[in-house]
Amino acid sequence: MKLALIGNQNSGKTSLFNALTGSNQKVGNWPGVTIDRVEGSIKKYHSTIVDLPGIYSLSPYTAEEEVSRQFILNEDLDLLINIVDATSLERSLYLTTQLLELNVDVVIAFNMYDLVEKKGIKIDIKKLSNELGATIIPISAKTGKGLDELKETIFKKKYLKNKHKKIYPSDIEKFIDDTIKFYNHPWKHKFHKRFEAIKVFEEDRDYKILLGDKLKAEHLLIEKKYAMDGEQLIASLRYDYIEKVRDKCVTYPPVKETKSDKLDKIFLHKIWAIPIFIVIMGLVYFLSISIVGGLTNNLISALFNGSESVKFTIGSFSWNAPIKLEGLGPLIARSLGNIGASKWAMSLVQTGVISGLAIVVSFVPQLICLFLCLAILETTGYMSRIAFFLDRIFHKLGLSGKSLIPFIVGAGCTVPGIMSTRTVEDENEKRVTIALVPFIPCNAKLTIISLISAAFFKQIGFLVALSFYFLAIVIIILSALFIKKVLKRKEHTTFISELPEYKSPNPIYIGRDVWDKTIAFFKRAATVVVFFSVIVWTLSSFTPSFQYIDGSKFTIEQSQLKYLGDGISWFFYFILGCRLDWAASVSALQGLIAKEQVISSMEVIARTSGAASIFAPGSPFAYFNPITAFAFASFNLFSIPCVGSLSAMRHELKSAKKMFIVIACELLFAWLLASLIGIWGVFIK
């Protein structure tokens, strides 16, 4: 049996999918897009279920809607499970009316029914089922209530067959029938004739070509009669039908101020909303970087690289624990030495591989904490609200409110952030959004932020980390205003977003979300970082004539990497406080491959030089000070993004020329900003 799960965003769809499939899931991508394709199996019933992206309609306005529609129309499905937020029937049933126009059976799972009962809302399920012509099962995906009944209904096929109830006025129903008869055979999807006939009436982009002369005359008369175009008319009639059904089947208690309403008075206050958001994000980064980072960074470094003692730090408090660790790298190197391995082979493993891997692992606890905090903010409904609040600001900047989505996604990874600009319909707004998304520090850039914050701003590290994010916001605002003035644009597209009820976090959902993001980061970072760490080690450990640099006869100053760095060090002269530095230059250059590689390269170079850590005595980076470090970090955060992001940018802009213009502007801006900071550092010495 092949099933598909479909519903609005924040309807509990993911929770229901997890409850039905357990751990029998696999995640990939839909063809041509970066949107997750999640498929699971229900082994007991020998069934496959696909979790479709959260959508509000089957009109292809967004990539998610396009993916869902094409899947439903092209796949031979046995059943659609439509999950509905029972607390918001008017919004949720709009999609339901479209699904019931398809020639596939539909079972409606009324989720959050426990909240409906708690609110005192009474729904006559049997009567509503008869009105819609589909089986309805009340459930709570969070608690598991009703899931057994849902499974029994589905897999014992106790549900109503889809009879396509006619919900439109007679003249429109006649047009639908005429369209089906006129195109009796050559339909694109012969199994969904009613759905596609309605799409012809709506002049949907994929079906308007079928509106021939005979049908066009009939269509024009109906539009004149109702004084609306086809799409507006169908949407209006759907809501009229939903309201009639609701009035027949649902009884609401007297309206009272809910907890969400009370909380919104605080979190969406016109004055305090932004300060509260800043405080919340400050706490998130204090917990992630100052506490978790301070407690784990040195410990993980010691586990991999060895140490005589381990330093733990929380804010301004620090203490050395007398824990002597040989470290994985030295242990393996010693073992290789015992079996006769050469010095360069031992150095390759210890410095090139283990030290590079240590950098990735050392940031994992901070990322887990960050992912956890953000997942909690998302599942409680807070992030949807701050996005809604900031929408008004975006309009003043000449951007669509839909640009919020790429910026939020880009905070995780720039690649899907750029890809999600597909939701921005206006081409000019889309291009501007694509150009601005790379300014948002992604998870990979967190490695740079964490290192600089912890190394040079111990007491206020979390504030410095947060300052990079607010600096990014300032840069985006100024850039957007500049572009708005240049383009002289006044009209912007509309952004529609849902404000769900505040909910307590679901531990299972949060755990799965944090796990998936952490594993994805580690897989990507570990492979890329270790590979290029070995390359950096090779270039820094051999002279141009491939003599091994042992620290006595030859030093790192005679390495291939040094000559490469000398060739580009002029570019970073002002950024590094009017200093030519080959090591920092080649490390920054590797940010084009992956931003994590900047810090990994610095680590490998420092240890190849014989230093205990990046900024320790003997390291090429020992001269770094707070201002130099901040300038260096600023350049790496706001300059050209990684190659994956460049590929996504090229694809979405549909022009290599436009991509090069964007990255040239970003590179110039980052260089000017970082140079000004670096020069300022020279003057205040």
Side-chain angles (χ1 to χ4, degrees):
M1 192 172 188
K2 191 166 188 177
L3 317 170
L5 180 61
I6 188 167
N8 296 167
Q9 297 175 14
N10 300 304
S11 60
K13 186 168 59 67
T14 302
S15 297
L16 177 58
F17 180 78
N18 292 337
L20 291 173
T21 61
S23 60
N24 305 311
Q25 304 173 16
K26 59 180 180 181
V27 180
N29 287 124
W30 293 91
V33 293
T34 58
I35 298 168
D36 282 346
R37 174 186 174 123
V38 186
E39 187 174 306
S41 61
I42 309 173
K43 293 184 178 180
K44 181 179 178 182
Y45 300 100
H46 307 288
S47 298
T48 300
I49 182 169
V50 176
D51 183 16
L52 296 173
I55 59 172
Y56 293 97
S57 76
L58 287 177
S59 299
Y61 299 129
T62 67
E64 288 82 2
E65 289 169 344
E66 178 70 36
V67 160
S68 298
R69 182 161 100 166
Q70 292 304 318
F71 178 81
I72 290 172
L73 294 180
N74 289 296
E75 291 291 325
D76 188 12
L77 295 170
D78 295 297
L79 183 70
L80 282 171
I81 305 172
N82 176 211
I83 185 163
V84 165
D85 180 352
T87 64
S88 302
L89 285 182
E90 294 89 340
R91 169 181 54 75
S92 301
L93 290 178
Y94 186 88
L95 175 61
T96 304
T97 60
Q98 291 184 313
L99 298 178
L100 290 171
E101 289 163 356
L102 297 161
N103 195 26
V104 61
D105 295 329
V106 179
V107 169
I108 304 172
F110 257 29
N111 194 28
M112 305 181 211
Y113 203 73
D114 51 337
L115 295 179
V116 170
E117 294 173 330
K118 190 175 180 180
K119 290 181 177 181
I121 302 172
K122 295 183 179 179
I123 302 177
D124 189 330
I125 296 294
K126 186 175 181 181
K127 190 173 184 179
L128 183 57
S129 177
N130 290 332
E131 288 289 333
L132 294 174
T135 301
I136 300 173
I137 307 296
I139 68 166
S140 172
K142 183 178 179 181
T143 65
K145 185 178 180 181
L147 293 185
D148 290 338
E149 183 183 355
L150 178 65
K151 291 177 184 177
E152 184 178 357
T153 301
I154 293 170
F155 297 112
K156 292 188 177 180
K157 298 186 178 181
K158 294 182 178 181
Y159 48 82
L160 296 173
K161 295 293 180 180
N162 191 352
K163 296 182 179 179
H164 301 124
K165 294 196 72 171
K166 297 188 175 184
I167 65 174
Y168 305 113
S170 57
D171 50 356
I172 296 177
E173 289 292 349
K174 180 179 180 302
F175 177 91
I176 294 169
D177 291 338
D178 289 346
T179 305
I180 292 173
K181 290 174 184 176
F182 191 75
Y183 295 103
N184 188 39
H185 179 68
W187 286 88
K188 291 172 69 180
H189 308 284
K190 61 181 180 179
F191 297 112
H192 303 289
K193 293 181 180 179
R194 179 174 174 83
F195 173 83
E196 296 182 84
I198 293 169
K199 288 300 171 188
V200 172
F201 184 84
E202 291 180 330
E203 293 186 271
D204 182 278
R205 73 176 191 202
D206 293 338
Y207 296 95
K208 63 191 301 182
I209 193 173
L210 297 176
L211 193 62
D213 292 339
K214 182 178 179 181
L215 291 173
K216 189 174 287 187
E218 187 178 351
H219 183 264
L220 189 60
L221 287 173
I222 296 173
E223 286 189 328
K224 285 184 177 179
K225 176 182 176 180
Y226 293 96
M228 283 188 272
D229 66 41
E231 186 176 22
Q232 290 175 322
L233 181 54
I234 291 295
S236 177
L237 292 172
R238 285 189 200 280
Y239 280 118
D240 288 344
Y241 169 71
I242 291 168
E243 287 175 4
K244 289 176 184 177
V245 170
R246 178 203 63 195
D247 293 342
K248 286 181 183 179
C249 308
V250 184
T251 304
Y252 292 93
V255 178
K256 295 180 181 179
E257 188 176 49
T258 65
K259 289 182 179 178
S260 290
D261 294 330
K262 293 176 181 177
L263 289 171
D264 280 341
K265 287 182 178 180
I266 301 172
F267 292 120
L268 296 182
H269 191 275
K270 62 181 181 180
I271 296 174
W272 298 111
I274 296 299
I276 289 172
F277 175 65
I278 293 172
V279 170
I280 289 174
M281 295 311 295
L283 290 172
V284 168
Y285 282 95
F286 175 73
L287 182 61
S288 302
I289 293 175
S290 291
I291 295 183
V292 175
L295 293 174
T296 61
N297 272 2
N298 291 330
L299 176 60
I300 292 173
S301 178
L303 289 172
F304 279 86
N305 300 313
S307 178
E308 293 295 321
S309 63
V310 179
K311 186 177 182 180
F312 297 98
T313 306
I314 298 180
S316 59
F317 300 98
S318 63
W319 68 97
N320 282 308
I323 305 173
K324 185 176 181 179
L325 296 169
E326 181 178 8
L328 180 63
L331 176 63
I332 295 177
R334 181 167 55 81
S335 300
L336 290 173
N338 291 338
I339 59 174
S342 63
K343 286 186 177 181
W344 70 262
M346 295 162 60
S347 178
L348 169 62
V349 173
Q350 181 176 344
T351 305
V353 178
I354 302 299
S355 292
L357 184 62
I359 285 292
V360 177
V361 178
S362 66
F363 290 109
V364 168
Q366 297 175 61
L367 284 173
I368 291 174
C369 183
L370 182 63
F371 293 153
L372 177 63
C373 292
L374 294 179
I376 291 171
L377 291 175
E378 181 182 348
T379 56
T380 55
Y382 176 73
M383 293 304 285
S384 299
R385 282 166 165 76
I386 199 63
F388 166 78
F389 186 86
L390 293 175
D391 176 47
R392 290 175 289 178
I393 299 174
F394 271 70
H395 276 290
K396 293 178 182 178
L397 301 177
L399 291 172
S400 165
K402 291 182 179 179
S403 299
L404 286 169
I405 297 170
F407 288 131
I408 292 171
V409 174
C413 179
T414 305
V415 175
I418 290 173
M419 299 295 282
S420 64
T421 57
R422 295 173 183 179
T423 60
V424 182
E425 295 162 5
D426 184 271
E427 278 300 314
N428 286 324
E429 290 174 1
K430 179 181 177 180
R431 292 191 196 107
V432 174
T433 305
I434 289 170
L436 297 179
V437 165
F439 286 129
I440 292 290
C442 63
N443 290 331
K445 295 175 182 178
L446 184 63
T447 57
I448 302 171
I449 294 171
S450 298
L451 176 71
I452 299 303
S453 301
F456 294 98
F457 306 93
K458 292 181 173 60
Q459 285 77 15
I460 56 168
F462 73 99
L463 290 177
V464 173
L466 193 61
S467 73
F468 283 115
Y469 285 83
F470 285 111
L471 180 58
I473 292 171
V474 171
I475 291 170
I476 289 170
I477 290 173
L478 293 177
S479 301
L481 287 172
F482 174 76
I483 295 170
K484 179 185 178 182
K485 191 169 184 67
V486 171
L487 296 179
K488 297 179 180 179
R489 300 186 73 252
K490 294 182 179 179
E491 295 184 1
H492 317 291
T493 54
T494 304
F495 172 56
I496 300 173
S497 182
E498 174 198 1
L499 291 185
E501 293 280 322
Y502 284 103
K503 303 168 189 172
S504 58
N506 185 324
I508 296 176
Y509 170 79
I510 289 175
R512 190 184 299 274
D513 183 60
V514 172
W515 172 261
D516 290 343
K517 288 180 178 177
T518 303
I519 293 299
F521 168 82
F522 187 79
K523 283 181 179 178
R524 174 183 175 275
T527 52
V528 172
V529 167
V530 171
F531 176 74
F532 284 97
S533 291
V534 171
I535 292 178
V536 172
W537 175 88
T538 303
L539 294 175
S540 63
S541 297
F542 291 92
T543 67
S545 59
F546 282 93
Q547 298 292 319
Y548 176 61
I549 296 172
D550 56 5
S552 55
K553 185 177 180 181
F554 298 102
T555 67
I556 197 170
E557 296 294 324
Q558 297 167 284
S559 68
Q560 300 173 47
L561 196 63
K562 165 70 161 53
Y563 291 110
L564 174 63
D566 285 340
I568 59 173
S569 61
W570 58 269
F571 184 81
F572 298 91
Y573 179 75
F574 294 115
I575 296 173
L576 299 171
C578 298
R579 184 187 183 102
L580 292 173
D581 181 0
W582 65 269
S585 301
V586 293
S587 296
L589 183 64
Q590 290 188 77
L592 284 173
I593 307 299
K595 292 302 179 182
E596 307 97 325
Q597 184 59 28
V598 174
I599 304 304
S600 179
S601 174
M602 295 173 75
E603 175 81 5
V604 173
I605 292 171
R607 292 192 176 275
T608 304
S609 303
S613 62
I614 293 175
F615 302 112
S619 167
F621 312 102
Y623 71 91
F624 267 50
N625 58 51
I627 302 298
T628 306
F630 196 93
F632 182 72
S634 296
F635 175 80
N636 284 285
L637 295 179
F638 304 124
S639 65
I640 303 173
C642 65
V643 288
S645 300
L646 295 180
S647 175
M649 190 182 293
R650 163 68 180 82
H651 185 268
E652 293 304 316
L653 289 173
K654 299 179 176 65
S655 167
K657 180 181 177 181
K658 290 175 182 175
M659 180 198 73
F660 283 120
I661 291 172
V662 169
I663 64 176
C665 291
E666 290 177 349
L667 180 62
L668 177 61
F669 176 83
W671 183 84
L672 288 172
L673 174 66
S675 294
L676 287 173
I677 297 171
I679 293 170
W680 175 62
V682 174
F683 281 109
I684 65 170
K685 277 186 179 180

